[in-house]
Structure formats: C-alpha cells, structure tokens
Amino acid sequence: MSARETKQHTEEKAVHKMTAAECTALKRHLARHKAKAKPSVRFKVSKNGSVPQIEFDHPDKLVGGALLMDALATADEDFLNGIVDQIASASAHGQDIERGLNFMLSVIKGIEPRDQLEAMLAAQMAAVHVATMTFARDLAPVNISAFNKLTRTFAMQMEALKRYRSGAEQKVTLQHVSVAEGGQAIVGNVTQAPRENGQEKATQEKAATPPPTRPDTNVVLMPSMGESKEHDPLAVRRKSNK
C-alpha cells in the first residue's frame, strides 16, 4: 500500500459517525440559536495608555448603542452609561477585561430584562455569579462563608426577579363541575360542619334538656277567695246534713 493510499485510508477512519443523541443535541442547538437569532452587540476594550477605553463592537456606533439600550430595556443614555461603567468595574478584576465585560453583558441579555429595574437586578446577578466563581477557585475556610452567602444571595435574586415579574399577573383557576339534571351547584367557598354520630347527638340533647321538676308534697293547696261555696266540698257536706 502506497503512502497516498495509507493517508486516504486514515482520513476515512477519522470521520466521526454521529450518534442519535448527538443528532438530537445538534437539532436542539440549531433551534435554540434560530430562536435567539437577533441583532446583538458586544464590547470592545482598547487601552489608551493605562486607561481602558470601552466601545461598541459594531460598524455603526449609533446602531450599536441602540442595540445595547434595547438589550438593557432602557431609552435613557445616562442609565446606559452608568450601568456600563458599573459592570466594567465589576469585571475588571480578571486579566482579560473585554472577556469579562462581554460575559456579564451576555448574562444580562440572557435574563432579557423588561425595564431598568430588571436590568439592574440582572447586572447584580451577573456580578454575584462572577464573585461566587472567584471564591470557588479557592475554597479555603475563610472563603467558604463568603461563598455560601453569595450562593444564597443569587438564589434570593432569582426569587425576587420571579416575584417582580409575576406581581402584576392574576392567577385564575378554572375547574370543571358537572351538575346532573335537577341538581344544584354552589359557586364559592363552602364550609361544612363536622358530622356528628347518633351517640354524640343524643348526649348533647340530654345535656341541653333540663331535668323535670318534682312536686313538693309538703305544700297544701288553698282555695282561692273568688271560688264559690258550691265548689267547696265541706260546704256541700254540711248542706246535705241539714
């Protein structure tokens, strides 16, 4: 076998045959990329001496600024300049400032803020994540406490964002109720009293019924003054004796 044939045979063996799982993952990636495919913008950092200069990595600076303002859900240039300076300061601890800055911007764009408040919260979440991973590189006893606090803070930030976004939404629960012909249905909250068995009910009725009063045998009934003598047995007996 010549050297050319050997090389061709080696290249043919090097061709990778994709598995079903890899094909599924590739399809998901392409679908996700297509759904997220929209104009975006990145930062480009250049140094003017010792001071880094942050610019939009876009051919048209005006369009680049508009894309960034859209990603941060704002139309205020002062807010844009302030938030860019803040995330640049938060990402300036690494060696590659441009990479860290674009990573934080990517996190913010992934959260897709809908207003300036959500944009600020997204920037804080990105900063907390960066700080968390910085402490994760060296989990010394001194850093474990800070690492745990940062992870809890990130979870609380996610919960706060979730509550803020769902605060104006009303939850309506629809339930299917079947009522037969001649039946009745109650709409609303129904509170049913607990059932009582026969023994408990008889005991309660017996306790609520007062005991019967017994007549007093020592009391002698006197006739009233308004009664006539015809109703007096003594008077009738005397009359008969005469």
Side-chain angles (χ1 to χ4, degrees):
M1 183 180 292
S2 62
R4 183 176 181 180
E5 292 177 353
T6 304
K7 183 178 180 181
Q8 183 179 1
H9 181 68
T10 305
E11 290 178 352
E12 289 178 356
K13 292 181 64 177
V15 175
H16 174 69
K17 185 177 181 180
M18 296 181 60
T19 63
E22 291 173 341
C23 292
T24 303
L26 183 59
K27 290 180 181 179
R28 291 178 180 175
H29 168 71
L30 294 177
R32 190 179 299 110
H33 185 270
K34 184 178 180 180
K36 294 289 184 180
K38 60 181 181 179
S40 183
V41 64
R42 299 177 74 256
F43 288 116
K44 181 175 64 175
V45 180
S46 60
K47 287 189 176 181
N48 186 6
S50 60
V51 180
Q53 300 290 331
I54 302 175
E55 298 176 346
F56 304 125
D57 190 7
H58 196 276
D60 193 329
K61 302 302 179 183
L62 183 62
V63 175
L67 292 175
L68 184 59
M69 295 179 76
D70 179 67
L72 298 177
T74 183
D76 192 340
E77 293 185 0
D78 293 332
F79 177 82
L80 175 65
N81 296 330
I83 198 72
V84 169
D85 290 341
Q86 290 172 358
I87 61 178
S89 299
S91 61
H93 300 288
Q95 297 295 330
D96 194 344
I97 300 177
E98 182 174 327
R99 173 182 286 187
L101 182 59
N102 284 310
F103 170 74
M104 294 187 67
L105 178 61
S106 177
V107 173
I108 297 173
K109 291 188 295 185
I111 297 175
E112 296 182 351
R114 300 179 300 183
D115 52 30
Q116 293 184 174
L117 185 60
E118 290 189 5
M120 290 187 292
L121 184 56
Q124 295 174 17
M125 294 174 68
V128 169
H129 172 75
V130 171
T132 303
M133 303 310 295
T134 301
F135 281 102
R137 283 182 289 183
D138 183 14
L139 286 180
V142 180
N143 298 334
I144 291 178
S145 177
F147 176 80
N148 292 334
K149 291 180 180 178
L150 288 170
T151 53
R152 288 194 298 266
T153 300
F154 188 83
M156 289 188 294
Q157 287 174 331
M158 291 184 61
E159 186 65 24
L161 179 62
K162 182 179 178 181
R163 289 198 307 268
Y164 179 76
R165 286 183 170 178
S166 61
E169 299 178 0
Q170 295 182 356
K171 184 178 180 181
V172 180
T173 303
L174 299 178
Q175 296 181 351
H176 179 72
V177 180
S178 298
V179 181
E181 184 178 357
Q184 295 181 353
I186 301 176
V187 180
N189 298 327
V190 180
T191 303
Q192 184 177 4
R195 294 184 177 180
E196 299 178 354
N197 53 29
Q199 185 177 0
E200 292 180 354
K201 187 174 182 181
T203 304
Q204 293 179 358
E205 291 179 353
K206 184 177 180 181
T209 305
T213 57
R214 301 178 59 185
D216 194 351
T217 55
N218 297 326
V219 178
V220 179
L221 298 177
M222 299 296 293
S224 60
M225 297 179 63
E227 295 180 352
S228 60
K229 292 182 180 182
E230 295 180 356
H231 296 85
D232 189 357
L234 295 178
V236 173
R237 188 180 302 172
R238 292 169 186 171
K239 185 176 182 181
S240 59
N241 293 334
K242 290 182 180 180

